[in-house]
Structure formats: structure tokens, C-alpha cells
Amino acid sequence: MKRPLYERIACDLRRRITSGKLPVGQLLPTEAALCKRYGVSRHTAREALRRLRDAGLITRRRRAGTTVSASSASMKFSLPLNSAEDLFRYASGTRFLIESRGVIRAGPAEAKVLRCRPGQAWFRILGTRKQRGSRLPFALTTVYLHETLSALGRRLPQSGALIYTRVEEALGTRIAWIDQSMEAVTLDAQPAQRLRARAGGCALRVRRYFYDANERLLEVSDSLHPAGRFAYAMRLRRDKPEGSASRP
């Protein structure tokens, strides 16, 4: 699969940073300059810079420009979270490597996670998620697809598939809303071994539920992130109190 333009631009800039051609402290070209150099839109240039920022390589400040802040990428994957589209970038900006797949019948514990009755059929996919260019996984993920999507689950390529887009295409529908829960957990020995992390260490468990406009549950993802490899970044706007006057 051909990589998006913003990824290719980000990789080119990353190579220049890690090789020292763009040293720490140096200003990067402006978005307009990057658009001219690579022949892309401002949106594409901005997305490439966002990748570098999430990797900890650059710092962007309004009016001050974009500065190289590190010569090597952080192991941590940082996900800006301000909208549902940001959640989709979690998948589009990383690689999901499928290790096993098949139809299962939900036991009592899985039925609780999947919000279904025990014995209901689901297509389960197990794998790890990595940043592009990294060998160390930052998440151990289990994806459950509605039983009507079993054929789709079997057709998915072993690496790099964007599952939610395939679900929308297969059903001719759109994922309308996402329910997400997060909790701090302790890593058991088996998942810790697969993640090459310390057993008994801390982890963040993130579960996402993908629904269509008729509130039909199409997909569930259950991901474990070892401490130090994943972070959310959120910017929240505070509404003005009713009746408050704007400052001059």
C-alpha cells in the first residue's frame, strides 16, 4: 500500500533531523515553504509536522515557528484527542500487526466487555500496534467484529489494515459515534511478554465501541498500553459563564 504524502514528508524530515542535517534548536521551514518544496497542500504539510511533534522531534509555538527539539524520536506515541477524527488517527498513524484471528463465542467475561449475551458469536482479531519505523509495540490490541463481518475479518491483510474503514465499506454505512473507556491496570505476565514490558508494571487499558447511526455495535477494540509508551494530549475549551461580558 502506497504511503500517504504526509507520511513520506514526515519520514524525509525525520531523516534530516536524526542525521543532524537539521540540528536541535534549528527552525524548520514554514508550512508555506514545505508546501512549495514538496508540492503539497497546507493541510498535508501540517499533518506531516504533527507526526514529528507527536514523535517528540519538534516543538511548535505560535508566532515563534517550529523548532527541532530532539535528535531521536520518543518511544511514546502521543495522540491528540479533541474529536472523533483524532481517534481514527490512532489507527491511520500506526501499524496493526495481526497475530491470530477467528470466530469465538463470548464467555461470561467477554460478554461483559462486549455488552452482549454469553454465547454470542464475534470475529476476534489479536495483534500488536506499532509506530511506523519502530520495532517495539506500544499496544496489545484485541478487535471484535460483529458476526456478520466474519468474512471481512478473514480477508484483512496481516499488516497495516484500517479496520474501521473496511467495516464502513463492507456494510455501506458510516460509524456515527464512538464510546470510549479508560482505566489503569496491572500488566499480567503473558501480555507483558508479548509487549516486551515488565510483568506487574502499570498499563492503560482503552476500550472503544464503534456504533452506526442506528446504534448497532459494529466493532470493539480493547488495547493495553504499557506505561511510558502511549499518552493522550487534550486541549479543552472552557465555556464562558452565562451573562459574562467579554473583556475589552
Side-chain angles (χ1 to χ4, degrees), residues 60-207:
R60 305 195 70 190
R61 291 188 177 90
R62 197 170 183 179
R63 298 187 182 91
T66 303
T67 307
V68 178
S69 57
S71 59
S72 60
S74 167
M75 287 171 51
K76 181 186 292 184
F77 179 74
S78 179
L79 178 68
L81 186 58
N82 300 301
S83 68
E85 295 306 317
D86 286 333
L87 283 182
F88 290 141
R89 290 192 185 101
Y90 175 89
S92 63
T94 61
R95 294 176 63 238
F96 182 50
L97 309 174
I98 296 176
E99 297 174 359
S100 64
R101 66 183 103 187
V103 175
I104 58 106
R105 296 280 174 182
E110 283 182 313
K112 187 176 180 180
V113 171
L114 296 168
R115 304 173 179 176
C116 70
R117 67 180 186 279
Q120 184 172 330
W122 289 81
F123 192 86
R124 184 177 64 187
I125 303 168
L126 303 176
T128 55
R129 193 171 288 281
K130 300 179 180 180
Q131 294 188 65
R132 295 186 184 277
S134 173
R135 295 183 179 181
L136 192 68
F138 71 86
L140 179 63
T141 298
T142 305
V143 175
Y144 299 89
L145 298 178
H146 190 275
E147 61 181 326
T148 58
L149 295 165
S150 295
L152 167 65
R154 294 187 181 93
R155 293 197 305 269
L156 291 172
Q158 188 174 3
S159 173
L162 292 178
I163 298 177
Y164 75 89
T165 60
R166 305 291 182 93
V167 169
E168 291 180 325
E169 291 170 1
L171 297 178
T173 188
R174 183 174 179 271
I175 292 171
W177 58 282
I178 305 166
D179 185 8
Q180 176 172 268
S181 66
M182 295 180 281
E183 63 175 329
V185 297
T186 300
L187 269 180
D188 293 333
Q190 186 176 6
Q193 182 179 16
R194 293 175 66 191
L195 287 163
R196 288 181 268 171
R198 180 175 62 86
C202 296
L204 180 68
R205 165 161 260 146
V206 180
R207 287 177 176 146

Side-chain angles (χ1 to χ4, degrees), residues 146 148 171-173 177 210-219:
H146 190 275
T148 58
L171 297 178
T173 188
W177 58 282
F210 299 81
Y211 294 84
D212 65 11
N214 295 319
E215 300 194 9
R216 179 175 50 157
L217 182 58
L218 304 177
E219 177 185 345

Side-chain angles (χ1 to χ4, degrees), residues 10-86:
C11 285
D12 182 49
L13 292 172
R14 183 193 297 256
R15 281 192 295 267
R16 295 175 66 196
I17 291 171
T18 56
S19 68
K21 291 181 179 179
L22 289 172
V24 173
Q26 181 168 323
L27 280 172
L28 255 64
T30 63
E31 286 182 5
L34 290 174
C35 292
K36 185 175 181 180
R37 174 173 180 166
Y38 293 100
V40 296
S41 68
R42 186 168 287 250
H43 173 78
T44 299
R46 188 176 297 125
E47 184 66 17
L49 292 174
R50 187 186 68 80
R51 295 301 177 99
L52 298 178
R53 184 197 64 195
D54 291 348
L57 290 169
I58 64 172
T59 301
R60 305 195 70 190
R61 291 188 177 90
R62 197 170 183 179
R63 298 187 182 91
T66 303
T67 307
V68 178
S69 57
S71 59
S72 60
S74 167
M75 287 171 51
K76 181 186 292 184
F77 179 74
S78 179
L79 178 68
L81 186 58
N82 300 301
S83 68
E85 295 306 317
D86 286 333

